[in-house]
Amino acid sequence: AQSVTQLDSHVSVSEGTPVLLRCNYSSSYSPSLFWYVQHPNKGLQLLLKYTSAATLVKGINGFEAEFKKSETSFHLTKPSAHMSDAAEYFCVVSGAAGLIFGTGTRLQVFP
Amino acid sequence: DVKVTQSSRYLVKRTGEKVFLECVQDMDHENMFWYRQDPGLGLRLIYFSYDVKMKEKGDIPEGYSVSREKKERFSLILESASTNQTSMYLCASSVLAGGPPLSTDTQYFGPGTRLTVL
């Protein structure tokens, strides 16, 4: 069975500092992994997607994630946070009948 | 750009009412999905459809039904609304992809309908 765990429900950073949002997954086969972002009162938007090509995946808005099979992790990073990055982020793994979402990490960015 | 629209952003209904949530996508996508989003639980799949008139149960179908009469439109129906169905409902669509059906494909989401059942 497939599952995904987001290790932090809230993360707070100062503007200009690095962002790390942690995600671990479990899958009985080689998974596809996604990060989606949800800004307040907006729909979910795809940040990036891993589908067994390069293990380092670059997404929109300067975000990237690294697939580490040995650690079953797919952490999301950004070198320098911007105020507009404040949102909820979902780590997602492909399942047999669609996508399986993590419980979300709310990112706060302080000036 | 892919556009997924939902008929209402906010909806307030009374217990026992029949509720229709409508979703329309304009990209000729094969697959459509309904999720509910609750704090601390992420998104949970209610139903999905991979073709007109086809539907499959997701993880939490109880108390819901769906209808897909046209490719671009996917409706979620609450036959008799209850207070525990107060939630944010998100519709999504995706193009049919190869491999494990539906699972590797990027999904495009609508803005959501926040439903309150009193």
Side-chain angles (χ1 to χ4, degrees):
Chain A
Q2 287 70 43
S3 66
V4 61
T5 302
Q6 292 184 245
L7 300 168
D8 307 292
S9 58
H10 290 85
V11 170
S12 297
V13 300
S14 297
E15 191 175 20
T17 64
V19 176
L20 170 64
L21 305 184
R22 299 183 295 163
C23 173
N24 288 120
Y25 71 91
S26 171
S27 179
S28 52
Y29 52 81
S30 184
S32 292
L33 292 157
F34 309 75
W35 276 97
Y36 280 83
V37 61
Q38 185 178 34
H39 287 94
N41 300 314
K42 297 271 181 74
L44 274 79
Q45 180 184 20
L46 180 69
L47 266 182
L48 49 81
K49 174 180 177 180
Y50 165 78
T51 55
S52 74
T55 56
L56 183 63
V57 183
K58 293 190 184 298
I60 61 172
N61 300 335
F63 284 94
E64 62 182 36
E66 187 171 7
F67 174 72
K68 291 188 176 179
K69 188 175 181 179
S70 60
E71 299 176 11
T72 61
S73 69
F74 190 57
H75 301 334
L76 182 70
T77 60
K78 183 174 180 178
S80 176
H82 192 273
M83 295 296 291
S84 61
D85 295 329
E88 187 150 25
Y89 292 79
F90 293 92
C91 182
V92 183
V93 67
S94 55
L99 302 179
I100 299 168
F101 284 76
T103 52
T105 298
R106 184 164 298 279
L107 176 65
Q108 282 187 303
V109 182
F110 294 104
Chain B
D1 278 354
V2 177
K3 193 160 186 183
V4 180
T5 56
Q6 295 182 229
S7 52
S8 306
R9 290 300 302 274
Y10 299 93
L11 208 53
V12 179
K13 296 291 182 181
R14 297 216 172 267
T15 302
E17 280 192 77
K18 190 168 186 176
V19 182
F20 293 86
L21 303 182
E22 305 285 341
C23 175
V24 177
Q25 50 94 3
D26 66 356
M27 284 301 293
D28 202 35
H29 284 175
E30 302 290 337
N31 310 316
M32 296 188 74
F33 307 81
W34 275 107
Y35 296 87
R36 64 177 282 175
Q37 181 181 11
D38 298 289
L41 297 177
L43 275 71
R44 293 178 291 166
L45 182 63
I46 304 171
Y47 268 96
F48 64 98
S49 167
Y50 51 86
D51 201 356
V52 174
K53 296 192 184 295
M54 305 298 286
K55 60 185 179 184
E56 294 285 344
K57 292 180 179 178
D59 300 319
I60 51 164
E62 296 78 19
Y64 303 95
S65 62
V66 290
S67 172
R68 194 163 180 205
E69 297 294 321
K70 294 184 178 181
K71 191 175 186 180
E72 68 272 16
R73 188 181 296 270
F74 192 35
S75 303
L76 180 69
I77 303 156
L78 287 65
E79 295 289 342
S80 177
S82 63
T83 54
N84 63 12
Q85 292 178 310
T86 292
S87 187
M88 170 72 87
Y89 290 88
L90 293 169
C91 175
S93 71
S94 71
V95 175
L96 184 66
L102 313 175
S103 62
T104 61
D105 208 11
T106 299
Q107 293 186 15
Y108 297 88
F109 284 83
T113 296
R114 186 167 294 283
L115 173 67
T116 302
V117 183
L118 302 175

